[in-house]
Amino acid sequence: MINALGAVASLVKPVAMQVLLAYERLESGVAYNPLSDEVARDPYVVYRRLRDRDPIHRMRLVDAWVLTRYEHADAVLRDHKRFSAEDRRFHDVGLTTMLDIDPPDHTRLRALVSRAFTPRSVSRWHGRVQEIADRLLDAVAGQDRFDLIAALGYPLPVTVIAEMLGVPAEDMDRFEGWSNDIALIVEPILTPVQVEGVRRATEELFAYFETIVEARQREPRDDIVSALLAAEEEGEKLSREELLSTMLLILVAGNETTRNLIGNGMLALLRHPDQLQCLRDAPDLLEPAVDELLRYDSPVQLDGRVVREDLEIDGKRLREGQKVIALLGAANRDPAAFANPDALDISRTEKSHLSFGRGIHYCLGASLALLEARVAFRGLLDRFASIRLAAEPRYRDGIVLRGVESLWIEVEQRDRPA
Ligand code: HEM
């Protein structure tokens, strides 16, 4: 795969880039360059500097306001009347999903889809998620070293979503490829080749989904596609375009994100052996632990909106049409919201992280992602008496989606009672 940010960095003329960053620094005393080595090494250091020096920061590399305080990020995401989700993308690939629309269309679409994702509907999937995770972990039984991303982080979410959408197992690889290509759409900085890649993958996936839709039309099942199709047939509720883009969103939104939760979460635990031990000693902490892992190294680092009317936040004037970036990863480490925010503490009781967003676009798949992560972590702790990091992992390129490429671990099998 091409190194996305490397390719972009070589496209953006280094001199022009330096001029923009120098201007930004002059204007606000600090510059935010998401392509820098410093961000690649540890974005949280950079977020802290931004939050301390200029919490409502005008970024110039892409023109946007960058918010790093919890209070501001939370307020913007809640206020869909003044901060719109429409036109939030930095690239036009001709694709609009539920994520990119405001009420009333958003309300209508979300109401139709949300029935499949209520905690109750998702709990019906528990057994199946457990079976898939068990099968994947059985496949590495006996190995004392393996890549957790390849073994579990990658196949678990994609298999679950494919089953929910009714995609046959033999198409899984193509499905995964489209998902990875389209996920790039969330990134603010892309090369023209990548933009074209998103467009092509979207067309191919839509054509593929058409075949599934046709099959469900002939023979409905008890699945999401059949339910959406029924809504489409009821008339004005759902157009064919909305049906396909919703299927696409369910695939793309729940795949790499959940993989990153499993990967980033396990990495955080391995880097904090005391917390890992705590979780082993007190299995009841699993739920708060997964929340803390989401807060500590969020799979989605930022969320974009567009200002609908001129307004002011803490003395900064934001104009209609300007873009706003709520840095979720920074808000989650704001000391005003979380005591000792850079420490991993699985028994935290403070207010909730922003990793699933907030307000009307709050993650529809949150219950499913939590279920998958809990099953994954529980399975790993039950099977292995010890887990250690076997190699230093590398984070994939990307400003929005944050996750490791691979996570090699060394494990000791637990003696199972005969
Ligand atoms: C750890 C895993 C996940 C994370 C961190 C995550 C994160 C997010 C975030 C931050 C948003 C809000 C975006 C915004 O406000 O603009 C969102 C929305 C959404 N997520 Fe997730 N997500 C995860 C897993 C899933 C899963 C498993 C699914 C479904 C299978 C899913 C489906 C969606 C959908 C459909 C939306 C759009 C909701 C709307 O616009 O009303 N997500 N997610």
Side-chain angles (χ1 to χ4, degrees):
M1 193 184 134
I2 43 172
N3 174 330
L5 295 190
V8 171
S10 62
L11 268 186
V12 181
K13 290 202 174 59
V15 177
M17 195 163 138
Q18 289 314 319
V19 170
L20 285 173
L21 291 170
Y23 177 68
E24 195 176 313
R25 203 169 289 114
L26 212 64
E27 194 177 35
S28 48
V30 60
Y32 175 45
N33 176 9
L35 305 175
S36 67
D37 291 344
E38 198 185 11
V39 170
R41 266 195 311 276
D42 185 354
Y44 300 107
V45 173
V46 178
Y47 297 165
R48 190 188 315 142
R49 190 161 61 228
L50 280 170
R51 198 175 42 239
D52 289 349
R53 298 200 194 157
D54 194 32
I56 304 163
H57 176 74
R58 183 84 181 264
M59 177 186 179
R60 295 290 177 174
L61 212 52
V62 297
D63 192 11
W65 292 96
V66 176
L67 312 181
T68 39
R69 283 199 184 147
Y70 185 98
E71 176 199 351
H72 294 146
D74 177 65
V76 162
L77 296 179
R78 283 179 194 276
D79 186 355
H80 65 270
K81 295 212 167 91
R82 295 196 303 162
F83 297 93
S84 165
E86 278 171 24
D87 298 323
R88 62 153 102 184
R89 302 281 167 226
F90 289 85
H91 309 274
D92 181 13
V93 294
L95 171 68
T96 304
T97 71
M98 191 195 310
L99 272 172
D100 316 294
I101 55 176
D102 293 334
D105 280 341
H106 175 266
T107 321
R108 172 179 52 87
L109 208 53
R110 183 160 170 130
L112 290 171
V113 188
S114 56
R115 271 175 257 151
F117 288 99
T118 58
R120 207 151 147 239
S121 312
V122 168
S123 69
R124 293 214 307 261
W125 278 83
H126 193 139
R128 186 62 194 133
V129 171
Q130 186 72 58
E131 268 170 29
I132 299 169
D134 283 347
R135 178 170 51 76
L136 292 168
L137 287 172
D138 284 348
V140 288
Q143 295 181 26
D144 50 17
R145 192 175 189 278
F146 62 89
D147 172 12
L148 181 65
I149 299 296
L152 192 66
Y154 156 86
L156 178 63
V158 76
T159 309
V160 172
I161 293 171
E163 287 195 9
M164 282 184 141
L165 289 172
V167 170
E170 63 269 21
D171 291 338
M172 207 70 87
D173 282 348
R174 281 202 295 164
F175 201 54
E176 172 68 15
W178 286 320
S179 174
N180 287 342
D181 288 348
I182 297 170
L184 279 179
I185 193 185
V186 296
E187 295 294 339
I189 304 178
L190 291 177
T191 64
V193 174
Q194 289 171 322
V195 172
E196 195 40 47
V198 176
R199 210 172 274 140
R200 199 180 41 246
T202 303
E203 275 171 23
E204 289 175 10
L205 185 59
F206 273 12
Y208 177 80
F209 277 153
E210 284 279 10
T211 61
I212 295 185
V213 168
E214 279 162 23
R216 291 299 173 280
Q217 254 163 345
R218 284 193 302 274
E219 209 178 309
R221 287 192 201 164
D222 180 21
D223 64 12
I224 297 180
V225 181
S226 305
L228 291 174
L229 205 52
E232 189 204 24
E233 279 158 9
E234 275 172 41
E236 293 300 298
K237 284 191 186 162
L238 190 76
S239 70
R240 177 55 59 99
E241 182 78 13
E242 286 172 335
L243 169 72
L244 295 176
S245 69
T246 300
M247 291 170 71
L248 174 144
L249 178 63
I250 291 171
L251 162 65
V252 176
N255 192 10
E256 190 165 335
T257 47
T258 312
R259 183 198 316 162
N260 291 348
L261 170 56
I262 295 171
N264 299 0
M266 198 63 215
L267 177 61
L269 287 172
L270 294 174
R271 290 212 161 120
H272 298 82
D274 59 319
Q275 296 298 302
L276 182 59
Q277 192 54 47
C278 252
L279 189 53
R280 282 190 186 283
D281 296 342
D284 286 358
L285 285 181
L286 185 60
E287 285 191 21
V290 172
D291 272 325
E292 172 66 349
L293 297 171
L294 276 160
R295 181 199 72 83
Y296 185 79
D297 200 10
S298 182
V300 179
Q301 289 279 307
L302 63 89
D303 219 351
R305 293 291 187 270
V306 176
V307 181
R308 269 202 167 163
E309 59 190 58
D310 292 1
L311 52 91
E312 217 176 280
I313 311 179
D314 278 1
K316 297 271 175 121
R317 294 166 72 90
L318 281 61
R319 301 275 179 212
E320 181 187 347
Q322 288 181 330
K323 290 193 159 75
V324 177
I325 291 176
L327 270 180
L328 310 178
N332 283 343
R333 300 276 193 118
D334 183 348
F338 301 96
N340 203 4
D342 294 323
L344 181 77
D345 175 0
I346 62 165
S347 59
R348 264 183 204 279
T349 52
E350 289 124 319
K351 64 173 133 180
S352 55
H353 58 73
L354 287 179
S355 301
F356 286 128
R358 181 102 350 137
I360 62 167
H361 291 278
Y362 180 82
C363 179
L364 203 56
S367 303
L368 178 63
L370 292 172
L371 167 65
E372 290 179 46
R374 287 172 195 155
V375 166
F377 289 121
R378 172 62 45 233
L380 288 163
L381 296 184
D382 281 353
R383 283 181 185 234
F384 304 117
S386 89
I387 309 175
R388 282 183 309 275
L389 198 56
E392 204 44 45
R394 191 185 164 282
Y395 279 87
R396 278 192 308 278
D397 291 318
I399 299 166
V400 181
L401 298 179
R402 178 170 165 79
V404 290
E405 278 174 347
S406 56
L407 189 64
W408 283 91
I409 53 175
E410 271 167 12
V411 296
E412 256 171 59
Q413 313 282 331
R414 192 184 288 282
D415 292 333
R416 284 178 173 268

